[in-house]
Each structure stands twice: as C-alpha cells, then as structure tokens.
Amino acid sequence: MKKLADRLLHRFTNHETASNADHHCSTGTGEGTSGLRHRQDRRMPPQGVRLHISDRYVVMDNGILQVTLSNPGGIITGIKYNGVDNVLEIRNKETNRGYWDLHWNEPGGKGIFDVISGESFRVIVETEEQVEISFLRTWNPSLEGKYIPLNIDKRFIMLRGSSGVYTYGIYEHLKEWPGFELGETRIAFKLRKDKFHYMAVADDRKRIMPFPDDLCKGRCQTLDYQEASLLTAPCDPHLQGEVDDKYQYSCENKDLRVHGWISFDPPVGFWQITPSNEFRSGGPLKQNLTSHVGPTTLAVFHSTHYAGKTMMPRFECGEPWKKVYGPVFIYLNSTAARDDSLFLWDDAKIKMMAEVESWPYSFVASEDYPKSEERGTARGRLLVCDRFVSNDLISAQGAYVGLAPPGDAGSWQIECKGYQFWAITDEAGYFSIDNVRPGEYNLYAWVPGFIGDYHNNIVVSVTSGCKIEMGDIVYEPPRDGPTLWEIGIPDRKASEFFIPDPDPTLVNRVLVHPQDRFRQYGLWKRYTDLYPNNDLVYTIGVSDYRRDWFFAHVPRKKGDGHEGTTWQIRFKLENIDQKASYKLRVAIASATLAELQVRVNDAEATRPLFTTGLIGRDNSIARHGIHGVYMLYTVNIPGNRFVQGDNTIFLKQPRCNGPFQGIMYDYIRLEGSP
C-alpha cells in the first residue's frame, strides 16, 4: 500500500509538471492547501449545525465539513473538508461542480440537457441538530419548450456530527401541464483532478484512474465509440496501452450502494452512498453509471442505459405525477496516515451499511417522504411448481420478489414513474418486503434456475403501518413437456457462456477477475477472430456452453461492413411424435436492434418458422452489460419438422448495419411432447 501511495505522490508531481505544458487540454492553476487537516476532538461534543446566508451563497457548516451552494440556484459550488478548501474542481465554472441535472424532450421533440437551477431559496429546518434547505424551481406556461414542465424542489440536509450531506429532490407534474418525456435525471460531482486519482466502485473494481487530460487529443485514440479510448501517451506511463471506458464501471442497482474516489495527499475519500433503490427506475437489475474519469461521481436515479427508449417514461397532459428521488448521502472521510488511504474504501462500505440500516430516515422534513411508521410490510413464501422437475413444490431459494406499480409480467424492468420494493427469498422461499410506501402495487418475482416472470395482477394496497401476510405463492414457470436438451443457465445473464480474452492491445488491467471478463472492451470483435468464415456450431451432448457458446450472437466483420450470422444447434431425436407440438424456449438476456429467426432442418428456407422481428435497444454489447431487458419467446415446432436421428435448429441474426447489433442469450431449452 505504501508503494501505491508513493506512486500516486510521484504521479501527482509529474502530472503537475506535464500539465503546465498541456495547454491544449486545460488551463489555469490549482490552489494549494496548507496541509492542515480538520479533526473533530472526540472528547468534545460535535459542533452544532450552522447556516450562513448571503445574497449569492448559502453555507452549511457543522465543524466537520462546510458545504457552499449558490443562492438561489442550489448548485454545490464548494465542499471544504479536512484542510482542503474545496474538494470539487476549482478550475470548473461554479455551475459545473456539484449539480442535479436531467435530459428531457417534448413529445416527438429534440432532447434538451438541463442543469437544474433553483429560483427561490427557503429554510425548511434550522436547529443545532440539523439544517434542511430548499431550492425550488417552479414551472408556468410561459416556460413551455424551455424548461421541463415540472416543479423541482432540491433539498439538502446536514446533521450535527455527520461527515457528509444528504440531498433529495421532489419532482411534480400538474394535471393541466403539457406532456414530456424524461430520458435521464441524476446528480453529478466533479472532483479536483489534482487530488482524486484512485477510484473504487467494487472490491474487484478499484484502481488508479487516468487523468482527464489523458482523454484529450494527442494522448489517446478514440475507439469504436466516443466513450472508449486507448491511452497512447497518458500522464502516468503505467497506464500506457490501457483502455478507458466509463461503461466498464457500470453496476446493477442492487449492488450500486457506494462508490467514489480517494485522494492520497491529503488522504481524503469522497463517496456517493445510495441507501435504498426504491426511487430508482427499472428494479434491482437495472444497470447505471457510477464514477469515471473526470474525476466524476454520479448518483443516477433514472436513465435509458442498458434498456433504450422503452425505459423513457412519457407523461401526458392530464397526468398528474409526483416522485421523490433520494435522499442519497455524500460522505467524506479521512485518515491521518497517507499509507492507510486505501482503508477509506473499507470505511465507506461500513458507512454505507449503517445508512442502509437507517433507511427510511427519520430526519427528512418533507411530507412526501414517509417515515418508517408510515410504511407497510408484505410477507409470504414463494414456491415453484414444475412437475417435470419435481412432483413436490420447490422452495424458491434466492428468488427476487417485489412490489412495483401495476403492470404486466416483467414490466418492472422498464417501470420508471413509481417506486419499487424488492426482497430476496431465503432457502425456504420466505420473503419480507419492508418499508413499502403507501400505494397500490402488483406482486412480481423471478426465480434463478427457472424461466419467465411471476406476476399477480391483484392490486396490493399498502397503507400506513400495515403488515400484509401473503401466505404461500406458487409460481408455475412456462413448461409444456420434458427437457430434451438445454443450453445455459436461466439467470437472465449471458455470463456463463464463453467470454473470450480481449485483444491484448485493448485491455483494462483491473478487469482481470473472472466475474469481470465481460467488461473488457471489444469482445464483440473476437467473434470474427474465432469464426472468420463459418459460424458457431453447437452439438448437444458434445459441446459445452462454457467454452463453445459465444456470449453474444453478433454480426461478422466482412470487408468494410458486416454480415448476419447463423448459429446451429445439432442434436439427435428418436421416437418423434409427428402429430405433437414441441416447444423451443428462448430466453434472451439482451437485444440491440436485432432479430432472431428460427429455422428447423432447412437453413435456406425462405420463411423462418419463427421470427421476433426487430427487437431491443439495450446496447449492452457495446456497453459491457452482459444483460439488458429480459425477454422470453416460445417457438412451437410441429413434430413433422423433425426427423429420426440428426436434426439442426438454425438461429439466424440477420441485422448487420453495425458491430453492436446482436443478441445475448440467457437460456435455450427444447421441450418434448407432453
């Protein structure tokens, strides 16, 4: 650890020298620090929270940190902590340091990016124990086409003795206002590039990161899309030849609890903690951006990443809506010894767990945020009935069970207007969904090891303080006959299939763990390397999906373009019932502007037996997602399409306008006659 710290200090010194010559990338000089670190004397009670208000700024100060916001905009312009006058990037404009933003459009209109700036400021709570302040932007018809038709109330909370600040937002659309579509909303923090060099997203994804200057012309080569760069002349020579791509650090909501940055001089950590997923769009498996080169840290509440336009909610005129995003917690920590700097990540994880245990918070002032006693609980047990697996009911161990707004089976994946609450079942299938906001929901579930989605369309009405006993719930996954053969594991991901080594010239060296192999850049290109002339052939009983089934069904590079590809599944059948109907179950983990055509024993048949048509806008192949929006298709195959002995099912993906069009399969199964 000491060697790493020394490298970072040496790196910083070299970068300061290099930066003076890199006028094409950045200008200006950073402000120094006195080396003094603010410490709370543990023998003394923590200082009370103080609020200082001037014409241009509002400052919250509890003696541990000081947060400065613009007045009345509510943009965080500075965070003073541990002797650092401002941990945010002082070279940026004040409006580009710490802010809420969104991307929206009028129905059918062009997208508009908007940094949300308040129009009025007011104090909600001001005591020595806590301060809560509000920055409100209201909408009226004169603003049509300029601002999204929402009232947006940004709130910030500071507590006595707390090494951080909480923030949440209340978005409201009134019934008589015009409609709109919301593509994204989030909070962004731009930290000081002269200090924060080490990023941590997960225990297996933490590293020294490139400087933002490294992504400038002359220091990198842009790859197949703008976000991916090959570092050709980075400020830190240790990073020479590596790929940087912000999507390599994306994370599923269920695991996206804490991430951020570490400065080694002084040793300070800056962390974004999200204690609950209830306000995030898309449920527990939705993937979002985290932190990336900048140094930038994000709290993403809603985005279309890994889902596409199906994830973009459309609000109509006449549709009232209100939603609370957050609170999230911005946590800062420090240590006296530079050699202990990396332990700040461990401390941040401990703090995250404490915040999760404290949810829902008791100190939030808004009436739109229900406290613990105002929420409800739903309990029950989930069982699986699959008579071709067991004559008895099967405990749904490790299943995801959730309450989400009423919809259809699987609609929770793209639901983004309301709230979602999820639990994981124990080994006996029991679950408890706690701290549910009052409202009307449907019950949803999916079970690892079984295809499909459970959905009960009976409305579950959650009221303040209620405890709903749901009893035993039985899920019958799609099944018409015994399994003749299967490929993969039904877990909504493609990670069990063959994931090749990356091109050795396009490697991110932190992604060496087996569970992260799919995050390497350019893996879609390896299909052409492995199958330059002929496509994949998988033989049941001989092939192994872990080494013989490529993780993504993508086009083949051919000359300056691409061509569609047709995979074969070869298998033997005996005792065919010519009058029966066989079922091919195809579970898709992700699709991007793709099409799946199924043919049986005739690859050249003019019309396929089945086609999905054009499906998917996940873009998960390019963004290293290994899954996107789950889809399940059932193909009815008449028995007379099969022959005694050798048979072949052809899976064709003909769409080939670009390298990223394709399908990631989750699981494929052929069922025999009942």
Side-chain angles (χ1 to χ4, degrees):
M1 188 176 295
K2 186 179 187 302
K3 290 182 179 179
L4 179 59
D6 290 341
R7 175 186 161 195
L8 280 171
L9 189 60
H10 176 71
R11 178 181 196 250
F12 166 68
T13 303
N14 287 345
H15 174 63
E16 285 300 292
T17 302
S19 292
N20 292 333
D22 282 342
H23 296 297
H24 64 280
C25 286
S26 60
T27 59
T29 58
E31 60 185 40
T33 62
S34 64
L36 297 175
R37 301 187 181 105
H38 181 91
R39 297 186 183 91
Q40 180 70 48
D41 188 338
R42 300 303 178 188
R43 295 169 298 178
M44 300 292 291
Q47 172 188 305
V49 188
R50 297 170 182 170
L51 185 64
H52 308 279
I53 303 171
S54 67
D55 290 341
R56 293 187 57 199
Y57 300 102
V58 177
V59 180
M60 295 187 292
D61 186 349
N62 66 0
I64 300 173
L65 77 163
Q66 190 179 87
V67 178
T68 301
L69 302 102
S70 63
N71 185 7
I75 307 294
I76 300 179
T77 63
I79 299 177
K80 184 177 181 179
Y81 175 75
N82 200 49
V84 182
D85 288 340
N86 197 348
V87 300
L88 303 182
E89 182 50 80
I90 56 178
R91 306 183 191 196
N92 287 4
K93 293 181 179 179
E94 288 191 342
T95 54
N96 188 28
R97 297 180 183 178
Y99 54 87
W100 285 70
D101 68 32
L102 55 82
H103 192 273
W104 73 285
N105 59 268
E106 296 178 300
K110 293 183 179 180
I112 301 171
F113 176 75
D114 179 16
V115 173
I116 304 166
S117 183
E119 297 171 334
S120 63
F121 161 74
R122 63 188 176 118
V123 178
I124 306 298
V125 176
E126 184 179 7
T127 69
E128 288 205 340
E129 298 303 316
Q130 96 176 60
V131 164
E132 178 169 340
I133 53 180
S134 162
F135 299 87
L136 177 65
R137 186 175 81 182
T138 56
W139 191 88
N140 64 70
S142 69
L143 301 173
E144 186 167 358
K146 183 179 179 181
Y147 290 122
I148 189 170
L150 290 173
N151 288 336
I152 299 178
D153 188 357
K154 299 183 298 180
R155 300 285 185 96
F156 297 88
I157 303 171
M158 181 176 283
L159 304 180
R160 182 202 288 262
S162 176
S163 186
V165 61
Y166 298 86
T167 181
Y168 66 104
I170 307 168
Y171 290 29
E172 183 177 22
H173 179 253
L174 299 187
K175 183 178 180 179
E176 61 271 18
W177 288 353
F180 66 94
E181 294 177 332
L182 180 63
E184 182 177 72
T185 190
R186 64 185 189 173
I187 309 171
F189 290 93
K190 310 292 182 65
L191 306 182
R192 285 179 62 159
K193 70 177 182 179
D194 63 340
K195 295 194 175 296
F196 292 92
H197 302 153
Y198 189 92
M199 188 182 84
V201 172
D203 285 337
D204 57 359
R205 285 189 287 164
K206 51 186 180 179
R207 62 166 302 161
I208 296 173
M209 292 293 286
F211 288 100
D213 298 7
D214 294 336
L215 305 186
C216 294
K217 185 178 180 180
R219 291 194 177 275
C220 72
Q221 173 190 338
T222 301
L223 298 174
D224 283 357
Y225 47 86
Q226 183 179 358
E227 294 88 350
S229 300
L230 176 64
L231 306 179
T232 55
C235 300
D236 183 347
H238 291 87
L239 302 181
Q240 175 82 26
E242 285 205 59
V243 168
D244 178 75
D245 182 348
K246 66 181 181 180
Y247 293 108
Q248 292 177 323
Y249 302 103
S250 295
C251 194
E252 294 176 340
N253 282 343
K254 66 182 177 63
D255 301 319
L256 185 45
R257 296 293 200 187
V258 57
H259 59 95
W261 293 82
I262 293 173
S263 162
F264 280 68
D265 185 27
V268 166
F270 183 98
W271 310 102
Q272 192 275 304
I273 294 176
T274 304
S276 171
N277 287 321
E278 68 180 49
F279 43 79
R280 281 176 169 158
S281 299
L285 301 186
K286 171 70 169 67
Q287 297 163 93
N288 279 310
L289 292 172
T290 58
S291 292
H292 57 79
V293 168
T296 298
T297 288
L298 303 174
V300 180
F301 303 118
H302 166 73
S303 80
T304 59
H305 289 139
Y306 304 96
K309 289 186 177 180
T310 57
M311 196 77 194
M312 183 181 291
R314 180 166 181 158
F315 297 86
E316 305 290 350
C317 179
E319 179 182 1
W321 176 73
K322 181 184 280 191
K323 186 170 183 177
V324 176
Y325 291 110
V328 298
F329 184 48
I330 308 307
Y331 176 58
L332 287 89
N333 57 1
S334 62
T335 181
R338 182 162 57 91
D339 292 348
D340 294 336
S341 298
L342 294 185
F343 290 118
L344 295 173
W345 165 242
D346 297 318
D347 175 72
K349 290 186 294 181
I350 293 170
K351 182 60 176 175
M352 174 271 292
M353 291 186 285
E355 295 298 315
V356 171
E357 287 296 316
S358 300
W359 187 273
Y361 295 134
S362 61
F363 52 79
V364 178
S366 173
E367 294 180 355
D368 295 310
Y369 177 85
K371 307 299 188 294
S372 178
E373 64 274 12
E374 298 171 322
R375 297 175 177 236
T377 298
R379 300 188 181 97
R381 180 170 65 159
L382 182 64
L383 303 167
V384 177
C385 176
D386 187 335
R387 59 191 175 92
F388 292 98
V389 174
S390 173
N391 290 325
D392 299 323
L393 293 176
I394 304 165
S395 297
Q397 180 178 357
Y400 285 76
V401 185
L403 292 173
D408 302 317
S411 63
W412 55 269
Q413 295 182 97
I414 57 173
E415 205 291 316
C416 26
K417 292 184 178 180
Y419 303 91
Q420 298 193 31
F421 303 86
W422 289 84
I424 299 176
T425 58
D426 64 16
E427 60 184 12
Y430 287 99
F431 63 87
S432 179
I433 307 173
D434 301 322
N435 296 315
V436 182
R437 283 171 162 265
E440 294 189 342
Y441 304 91
N442 281 172
L443 186 71
Y444 302 85
W446 68 274
V447 187
F450 297 90
I451 60 174
D453 280 275
Y454 173 82
H455 171 237
N456 191 322
N457 59 13
I458 296 175
V459 173
V460 179
S461 295
V462 176
T463 57
S464 178
C466 74
K467 295 182 179 179
I468 301 173
E469 298 294 339
M470 309 196 78
D472 287 351
I473 299 162
V474 179
Y475 172 49
E476 296 186 35
R479 167 81 78 169
D480 285 301
T483 299
L484 300 182
W485 51 258
E486 60 186 349
I487 301 172
I489 301 169
D491 61 358
R492 297 177 176 247
K493 298 180 290 184
S495 52
E496 71 268 29
F497 297 126
F498 176 68
I499 299 174
D501 291 330
D503 182 324
T505 66
L506 298 171
V507 173
N508 182 324
R509 287 193 285 268
V510 78
L511 305 176
V512 297
H513 303 279
Q515 65 269 26
D516 288 324
R517 284 174 64 89
F518 68 87
R519 301 184 191 278
Q520 294 283 4
Y521 174 83
L523 298 182
W524 58 87
K525 298 181 179 181
R526 299 305 316 279
Y527 182 80
T528 300
D529 296 338
L530 295 169
Y531 302 93
N533 301 306
N534 300 310
D535 284 321
L536 182 151
V537 176
Y538 189 93
T539 303
I540 299 297
V542 176
S543 302
D544 183 338
Y545 63 79
R546 293 169 294 184
R547 65 169 186 266
D548 300 317
W549 189 272
F550 198 76
F551 79 102
H553 192 166
V554 291
R556 178 188 292 104
K557 182 84 167 102
K558 186 176 182 180
D560 294 332
H562 297 82
E563 63 179 0
T565 51
T566 302
W567 292 7
Q568 299 180 38
I569 304 173
R570 296 178 178 176
F571 56 98
K572 293 183 180 293
L573 282 183
E574 307 294 341
N575 303 319
I576 299 169
D577 185 347
Q578 297 285 328
K579 297 181 180 180
S581 178
Y582 292 70
K583 295 289 192 299
L584 181 70
R585 311 281 185 184
V586 183
I588 292 176
S590 176
T592 302
L593 296 173
E595 178 184 1
L596 175 61
Q597 297 178 358
V598 178
R599 292 174 173 84
V600 179
N601 287 329
D602 184 1
E604 304 303 323
T606 304
R607 298 186 63 180
L609 175 65
F610 170 85
T611 178
T612 60
L614 183 64
I615 56 171
R617 290 181 175 269
D618 300 356
N619 209 17
S620 296
I621 293 170
R623 290 173 173 169
H624 329 293
I626 211 60
H627 73 84
V629 176
Y630 176 85
M631 294 176 279
L632 178 64
Y633 292 96
T634 297
V635 183
N636 295 315
I637 304 178
N640 59 17
R641 293 291 187 107
F642 292 127
V643 297
Q644 292 290 121
D646 294 334
N647 291 267
T648 304
I649 289 178
F650 299 92
L651 304 178
K652 183 174 183 178
Q653 201 297 101
R655 309 281 178 154
C656 55
N657 293 325
F660 310 126
Q661 289 180 272
I663 293 169
M664 286 191 279
Y665 299 99
D666 167 40
Y667 173 78
I668 302 175
R669 180 173 75 210
L670 181 64
E671 297 173 8
S673 168

